[in-house]
Amino acid sequence: MLKMVSWNVNGIRACVKKGFLDYFHSVDADIFCIQETKLQEGQIELPLDGYEQYWNYAERKGYSGTAVFTKQKPLSVSYGIGGKESEFEGRSLTLEFEQFILLNVYTPNSKRDLSRLGYRLQWEDEIRAYMKSLNTIKPVILCGDLNVAHQPIDLKNAAANRGNSGFTDEERNKMSLLLESGFVDSFRYLYPDAAERYSWWSYMNKVRERNIGWRIDYFIVSECLAPNLKDAFIHSDILGSDHCPVGILLDL
């Protein structure tokens, strides 16, 4: 059984001070992916015995960034998806294993004023094309902070948030297009009606305590892997970031 976890840590150095390593060791994932690392090479030493570590740093200091920690050494690793801007921002890592290809991403936020929506939609098209091409080689597992609540069930106040960053019709339609291209949202596949299961909460006062959240962190898998999904989980009790860890159990 393969256990995979993804967590937007919102700054790995800060998260380490808030218990990251305790959770990391207790969950004992085979593959652990993080987003929004917010550091440069050499700014942290993580004692993760038994894991290979792969980091993609943003050129801008204290911004973006992704990393993958894996017990099994991958066959190959690539950084970015070919688009220049995404390369500069360290937003994706691709690891090929014997039975599947893992893609860890931190999707650009379209910003509160939607000033980055155009770039975001272009990113979505590039990611979808990239995943479809990978899917012709091996089954694909996409994980990370995708910065979109796909359906009204995926956030607390859907009607009030329609048109806001992360819940625009454009962003949601791109997610639908991805799923229609041969992929499955693992959590919704197993728990189609599970409500109030969120992975991100605003830092505003009492928002997390009242569970006013959004589910924007995902494991998306190739359709052929769906029957192998044994569980999908959201560890909403784990603090340390404004996001919580999400994961899957996959029987390969």
Side-chain angles (χ1 to χ4, degrees):
M1 194 74 71
L2 186 74
K3 182 189 278 189
M4 303 178 67
V5 170
S6 172
W7 192 6
N8 178 325
V9 291
N10 193 13
I12 184 62
R13 288 171 292 181
C15 196
V16 164
K17 293 173 183 171
K18 299 173 186 173
F20 173 83
L21 291 170
D22 292 337
Y23 174 76
F24 181 90
H25 293 303
S26 68
V27 78
D28 192 29
D30 299 289
I31 300 174
F32 197 114
C33 300
I34 62 174
Q35 304 87 39
E36 217 172 349
T37 55
K38 292 187 174 180
L39 45 61
Q40 314 304 123
E41 188 170 7
Q43 288 191 304
I44 197 168
E45 285 280 328
L46 281 183
L48 308 178
D49 291 345
Y51 288 85
E52 303 279 334
Q53 300 189 29
Y54 301 94
W55 297 77
N56 192 6
Y57 306 99
E59 289 187 4
R60 183 172 145 195
K61 289 184 178 178
Y63 181 73
S64 192
T66 47
V68 177
F69 314 128
T70 171
K71 290 180 179 178
Q72 182 184 345
K73 193 177 176 73
L75 304 175
S76 66
V77 180
S78 58
Y79 301 80
I81 55 165
K84 269 188 177 175
E85 196 169 348
S86 66
E87 302 265 353
F88 293 146
E89 295 186 353
R91 288 187 178 274
S92 65
L93 274 166
T94 306
L95 281 69
E96 180 184 358
F97 295 93
E98 195 173 326
Q99 293 175 287
F100 61 90
I101 298 172
L102 170 70
L103 176 57
N104 175 28
V105 306
Y106 174 41
T107 298
N109 189 308
S110 55
K111 292 198 171 178
R112 185 182 287 269
D113 63 357
L114 302 183
S115 59
R116 222 177 182 205
L117 181 60
Y119 170 59
R120 158 68 180 268
L121 299 178
Q122 179 188 335
W123 159 277
E124 298 278 5
D125 291 339
E126 289 175 2
I127 282 283
R128 187 173 67 257
Y130 182 53
M131 286 178 64
K132 286 167 73 174
S133 69
L134 294 177
N135 206 25
T136 65
I137 304 166
K138 287 180 183 178
V140 179
I141 300 172
L142 166 77
C143 73
D145 174 2
L146 303 189
N147 259 317
V148 62
H150 185 217
Q151 302 292 354
I153 195 174
D154 295 316
L155 74 168
K156 185 71 170 184
N157 297 315
N161 279 294
R162 186 173 178 188
N164 288 346
S165 173
F167 199 59
T168 63
D169 291 351
E170 294 91 337
E171 290 164 310
R172 296 170 62 202
N173 288 342
K174 292 295 186 186
M175 171 67 93
S176 296
L177 276 176
L178 176 63
L179 297 177
E180 289 161 11
S181 301
F183 301 97
V184 168
D185 172 354
S186 59
F187 185 80
R188 280 287 163 239
Y189 177 80
L190 293 171
Y191 304 106
D193 303 315
E196 300 195 348
R197 300 296 306 278
Y198 308 130
S199 65
W200 174 81
W201 303 262
S202 163
Y203 275 134
M204 290 192 302
N205 192 33
K206 302 288 186 189
V207 164
R208 188 158 183 171
E209 290 90 328
R210 290 184 288 150
N211 198 28
I212 302 170
W214 298 47
R215 188 176 73 93
I216 60 175
D217 300 85
Y218 295 82
F219 271 88
I220 307 285
V221 304
S222 295
E223 282 177 348
C224 65
L225 290 178
N228 302 87
L229 284 167
K230 297 304 169 191
D231 196 15
F233 52 87
I234 300 174
H235 285 166
S236 52
D237 58 319
I238 300 299
L239 306 177
S241 167
D242 51 347
H243 295 250
C244 75
V246 301
I248 55 171
L249 287 177
L250 199 61
D251 186 359
L252 293 176

